Amino acid sequence: MITGYFNYWVVIILMMMGFYIVISDSNLIKKIIGLNIFQTSVFILFISMSKVKGGTAPILIAGADVYSNPLPHVLILTAIVVGVSTSALGLAIIAKIHRAYGTVDETIIHEQDDLQDEN
Amino acid sequence: MLAHLPALQVVIPLISAPACVLVTRANWAWLLATAVSIISFVIALLLVHEVSEHGVLSYHLGGWRPPLGIEYRIDHLSAYLLTIVAATASITMIAARESIKQEIPPEKASLFFSAYLLCLTGLLGIIASGDAFNIFVFLEISSLSSYVLIAMGRDRRALTAAYQYLIMGTIGATFILIGVGLLYMLTGTLNIQDLQQRIPAIVDSRTLHAAFAFLTAGISLKIALFPLHLWLPNAYAHAPSMITVFLSATATKVSVYVLLRFFFDLFPQEISLQQFHLGKILLPLSIIAILTASFVAIFQENIKRMLAYSSVAQIGYMTLAIGLGSADGTIAGMVYLFNHAIIKGGLFLAMACVLLRIGSVQLEDFAGLGRRMPWTMAAVVLLGLGLIGIPFTAGFVSKWYVLSAAIEQGHWLAAIVVVGGSLLTVLYIWKIIEHAYFKTPVSATRQSQVILEAPRQMLLPLWLLVAGSFYFGLDTSFSLGFASTAVQALFH
């Protein structure tokens, strides 16, 4: 059971770890790291399902007639690009937040906003 | 040329986005963005015509036949949504010049318009595409560019709002990606029509249940369905005014479209409703959304925030109508979507006018505004009537259809909530009217008496929306007629 679905167990563990970091951590940069782990677990999910038992890499070579499915790899290439852009944009916004608030900690930012509301 | 319309609808704004960066002058960039928006609108109208004449259009990208190639598929539902998005884009851009000149530094204007065009590309692409993974990619294009646009708001809170939206939006999109991946795992296809054929055979598979659950959570986040709406009020309140106008009338609407496309088309609707009980998830959440969000809206001091909470409630009406699970309910949801885009777009546009002239959208600064900005505030009153659902407005038509669909299904609680939500709407719209017309400003200096009407370039689009909110209250041949054909096709 565990060995048969090894990749999928890894996916679930990574996914939950990433998700937990996003929800629980108040440091904005760590949240982005959590988001990356979360997204990476989905990449592994896609790559794992494309494996065909006994298949080689999907390149035409003599002597091979079973190939792994290349389509999920292509999809994930796109998803990786999306993920990189998301992280880059997230970090850019954090840089601007740091300039405006002088911190990257969510609780301090909320305190500053509340303070501003009272004045 | 006509045969390539489905692709051109998406490709023209996509190519114009980098072109816009090269145009460094703010005014020229604005002109380009406006021209592209209007061209998109013309293409959308041509597609509406083509679809009503010849039925569904299927466009094979690069000549690769579906299900192997990517298909752009324009049916009645897509054409309907394309029209809404492209029309909103055109009206927003025509009105945008003054407001953006004030809110965005001139050296960043071309980048701003470029991000706007990418957002438009993404939204149009989601609607045009007939491929599940392609929809995910376009969803991310539109989301990433809207995070950028929101972060460009003047207040530093725009940054935290954009960040919050980025985190929640990415989680939502990744959930959708997981759902699509599981579907591919089961069926080996990504084409929506092909998936629809294959899903009934594997309905008992647990993987399919998981896919359905992931998709529901992901799409609900994008729709801002209660309780996943937390990103919306901040994002709408702090984004540049024109971006609030644009996003409020398009982004969540397109997500509602994605809900319909996935659960009434990709999953055949009888499977979604009867075996996966979609209605039992949507109805209670929508009812809570309508009541709590309307209630919270009453106590907001920032009017943009008030209207944003009102949007959460209005989205509740749409998902309520869809969750009723009948063809009539879904038609009502589509009509609601159409009319709400006009009304809420108009209200946020009026707020853009106020922010341009007064520099604030706090309730206390509205005192005496009825005299200072007579045309803008008159528009707010008329659109407010539409939001409440007074007869002869578009808002009445949509609420009426939701109400009759609820009664037809024997869902009395939903019917009561529809009416009760309207009463709560009266309360917060009245708060604006009361301040604007019946209160005098605290500091009655001469300066605060001067008439400060918004520029004509903003007033004309605003009154066009006001006219629309009354026109579609009387003549429902497009809003209702076209939506019924679209929904009948889903319900066969």
Side-chain angles (χ1 to χ4, degrees):
Chain A
M1 177 73 190
I2 291 186
T3 48
Y5 292 108
F6 180 72
N7 283 21
Y8 296 102
W9 284 111
V10 172
V11 167
I12 292 169
I13 292 167
L14 279 178
M15 190 181 282
M16 289 306 117
M17 273 168 58
F19 202 38
Y20 180 75
I21 297 171
V22 175
I23 294 170
S24 67
D25 211 296
S26 70
N27 184 312
L28 299 183
I29 296 175
K30 286 187 184 166
K31 270 180 191 282
I32 294 284
I33 296 172
L35 203 62
N36 273 320
I37 297 173
F38 178 61
Q39 286 178 313
T40 310
S41 75
V42 182
F43 304 160
I44 300 174
L45 172 76
F46 270 74
I47 303 290
S48 303
M49 70 167 135
S50 73
K51 176 67 183 165
V52 174
K53 255 192 195 138
T56 64
I59 305 163
L60 279 175
I61 33 171
D65 24 72
V66 184
Y67 297 104
S68 282
N69 185 355
L71 186 71
H73 292 250
V74 181
L75 299 181
I76 283 317
L77 218 52
T78 315
I80 289 173
V81 174
V82 171
V84 169
S85 333
T86 311
S87 315
L89 179 59
L91 292 172
I93 294 177
I94 293 172
K96 293 199 83 173
I97 289 178
H98 186 255
R99 219 170 295 160
Y101 288 87
T103 174
V104 290
D105 192 290
E106 206 174 32
T107 37
I108 303 176
I109 290 170
H110 286 313
E111 277 168 18
Q112 287 195 23
D113 277 343
D114 292 341
L115 211 68
Q116 198 182 6
D117 278 340
E118 281 161 26
N119 296 334
Chain B
M1 186 70 185
L2 273 181
H4 293 292
L5 284 180
L8 286 175
Q9 176 85 88
V10 182
V11 169
I12 290 177
L14 181 64
I15 295 178
S16 318
C20 204
V21 180
L22 300 176
V23 183
T24 42
R25 296 270 287 278
N27 274 339
W28 288 93
W30 168 75
L31 204 63
L32 180 66
T34 313
V36 170
S37 306
I38 293 172
I39 291 170
S40 303
F41 183 47
V42 172
I43 295 176
L45 288 180
L46 286 172
L47 283 173
V48 166
H49 177 75
E50 288 284 302
V51 167
S52 18
E53 293 280 304
H54 309 295
V56 179
L57 301 173
S58 168
Y59 183 86
H60 306 162
L61 274 190
W64 295 90
R65 288 237 316 268
L68 288 181
I70 291 172
E71 180 192 19
Y72 278 11
R73 200 180 156 85
I74 313 287
D75 55 11
H76 277 78
L77 185 63
S78 325
Y80 189 66
L81 262 290
L82 286 175
T83 316
I84 297 174
V85 170
T88 316
S90 310
I91 291 178
T92 314
M93 274 300 117
I94 291 171
R97 201 162 74 128
E98 290 292 322
S99 169
I100 283 177
K101 211 181 259 178
Q102 191 199 36
E103 291 184 30
I104 307 291
E107 71 274 10
K108 283 192 186 151
S110 60
L111 293 172
F112 174 86
F113 285 114
S114 173
Y116 156 79
L117 284 171
L118 277 177
C119 188
L120 181 63
T121 308
L123 293 170
L124 294 172
I126 293 170
I127 306 168
S129 183
D131 181 283
F133 187 79
N134 212 229
I135 288 181
F136 160 76
V137 174
F138 278 121
L139 195 74
E140 282 296 54
I141 292 178
S142 73
S143 305
L144 283 167
S145 41
S146 54
Y147 309 146
V148 175
L149 291 168
I150 291 167
M152 286 175 107
R154 274 189 309 183
D155 193 343
R156 65 177 182 178
R157 280 176 210 205
L159 295 170
T160 42
Y163 181 84
Q164 199 184 11
Y165 185 17
L166 180 137
I167 295 288
M168 295 188 79
T170 307
I171 290 172
T174 311
F175 271 30
I176 295 174
L177 182 63
I178 297 171
V180 170
L182 293 177
L183 286 177
Y184 178 75
M185 209 185 231
L186 282 168
T187 60
T189 181
L190 290 165
N191 182 285
I192 288 180
Q193 297 306 310
D194 203 22
L195 276 163
Q196 189 194 45
Q197 302 298 318
R198 288 162 194 252
I199 280 177
I202 45 165
V203 121
D204 294 323
S205 150
R206 193 176 288 175
T207 315
L208 193 72
H209 287 73
F212 192 90
F214 274 115
L215 287 170
T216 311
I219 297 172
S220 302
L221 242 166
K222 286 286 175 185
I223 294 180
L225 179 64
F226 183 89
L228 302 172
H229 66 284
L230 293 171
W231 57 269
L232 189 142
N234 280 331
Y236 282 15
H238 301 301
S241 312
M242 279 306 166
I243 293 311
T244 312
V245 177
F246 181 62
L247 290 181
S248 74
T250 56
T252 47
K253 310 290 175 295
V254 171
S255 306
V256 172
Y257 161 85
V258 174
L259 178 87
L260 274 188
R261 182 59 80 202
F262 273 68
F263 294 150
F264 286 58
D265 196 20
L266 190 155
F267 285 87
Q269 49 84 18
E270 57 279 2
I271 289 179
S272 299
L273 291 168
Q274 282 152 27
Q275 306 201 332
F276 291 150
H277 307 294
L278 183 66
K280 284 187 188 143
I281 308 162
L282 287 183
L283 280 179
L285 293 180
S286 311
I287 287 173
I288 303 173
I290 294 172
L291 295 178
T292 54
S294 302
F295 196 68
V296 173
I298 298 172
F299 300 101
Q300 294 303 314
E301 292 292 315
N302 179 321
I303 309 284
K304 264 174 95 177
R305 230 179 133 77
M306 175 194 281
L307 292 174
Y309 272 107
S310 149
S311 276
V312 176
Q314 304 291 320
I315 290 159
Y317 278 100
M318 288 167 223
T319 47
L320 176 103
I322 292 167
L324 287 169
S326 62
D328 282 343
T330 313
I331 295 169
M334 285 293 101
V335 176
Y336 207 107
L337 189 154
F338 182 91
N339 292 336
H340 182 247
I342 297 177
I343 295 170
K344 196 47 76 59
L347 280 169
F348 275 120
L349 185 52
M351 290 312 124
C353 294
V354 173
L355 199 64
L356 179 74
R357 286 300 187 230
I358 311 294
S360 155
V361 285
Q362 291 296 325
L363 192 61
E364 72 236 22
D365 295 319
F366 270 62
L369 218 52
R371 246 162 282 126
R372 293 180 71 196
M373 300 182 77
W375 287 98
T376 309
M377 289 324 287
V380 170
V381 173
L382 293 175
L383 289 165
L385 293 180
L387 194 66
I388 296 163
I390 303 287
F392 306 115
T393 63
F396 175 73
V397 175
S398 33
K399 284 223 167 91
W400 177 256
Y401 280 107
V402 176
L403 189 64
S404 50
I407 293 173
E408 187 194 78
Q409 292 291 307
H411 214 297
W412 291 100
L413 180 64
I416 293 167
V417 168
V418 169
V419 179
S422 284
L423 293 177
L424 292 172
T425 315
V426 174
L427 290 179
Y428 57 75
I429 292 297
W430 173 250
K431 260 177 83 175
I432 306 178
I433 296 175
E434 188 194 12
H435 273 78
Y437 287 96
F438 302 107
K439 286 221 166 128
T440 41
V442 191
S443 56
T445 53
R446 183 178 290 175
Q447 205 193 355
S448 63
Q449 302 290 332
V450 180
I451 289 178
L452 258 180
E453 195 45 87
R456 222 168 280 159
Q457 210 182 2
M458 290 175 88
L459 280 181
L460 282 176
L462 175 60
W463 278 86
L464 191 67
L465 289 170
V466 175
S469 118
F470 282 90
Y471 178 80
F472 291 108
L474 299 172
D475 177 11
T476 54
S477 56
F478 179 74
S479 56
L480 179 66
F482 209 76
S484 331
T485 329
V487 172
Q488 299 302 350
L490 297 180
F491 278 77
H492 315 299

